[in-house]
Amino acid sequence: MSAVQIFANGDDLAADALHFVLQAASEAIAARGRFTIALTGGSSPVKTYELLAQASPGLARWDQWQVFLGDDRFVPPEDPRSNYGQARRLLLGKVPIPPEQIYPMATAAASPEAAAEQYAETLIRVLCPAHGQPPVFDLILLGLGDDGHCASLFPQMPTLDVVDRWVVSSPPGTLPPPVDRVTLTYPVLNAARQVLFLVSGEKKAVPIRDILERGAAREVHPAAGVQPVPGTLTWMLDKSAAALLTRRQE
Ligand code: 6PG
């Protein structure tokens, strides 16, 4: 099941994304006693993280959150290019989530490959998937690159074909910053109960049109390969990102 929501501007998008995340948290905590979420990097989630940081603790129930990263650049958290560093500055450092329930990728590991292996072990330990099955997040947040990538799954890369590993390393894509990455794979993205894309800006208009209206191949626009089953997929777009859509979106 998928839905596309279009907002007049980034502020309206972030306000709705805030409600979406809090609702997902509330449902997960009611059903399973905890909320497992993977955060994204990039500029699109910034306002949403700022709003979340101000959410009422009684509503958010931070002590029940288990927080992961969907992908990260292989740089220390203090590096301005670190996705975890950004999430910590904007959100995680401002709310009372128990530190042992926050799981950054091990960017001090010997290599991106070693960090990916360690992260896969962490996912299995914390999320306890059925044997051989991908771990199931309550919610995965994603952004969309100007080239149609998501997480660190870049066009035409062998990482797109991985079906038997939950976390892999990736060489830099064609967009900056040119650093190695560590990323969740499609099997994990598509096993999530909910995936929410946050997409703003005119540079996203072409990949958004190609993915939502022209059946883009995932090799060209990797975000097209995110189709959670039996989970739900929601696209939140600002007007600029949706500018080339011609069909009424359901
Ligand atoms: C990263 C991201 C990446 C991001 C997109 C969109 O590490 O680069 O996680 O997948 O979400 O590049 O980024 P913007 O929101 O900045 O356009």
Side-chain angles (χ1 to χ4, degrees), residues 24-44:
S26 153
E27 285 171 10
I29 293 166
R32 289 172 296 281
R34 66 178 186 170
F35 176 50
T36 56
I37 180 171
L39 301 179
T40 179
S43 54
S44 303

Side-chain angles (χ1 to χ4, degrees), residues 3-4 45 75 77 93 97 153 188 215 222:
V4 179
V75 295
I97 299 173
L153 297 172
V188 181

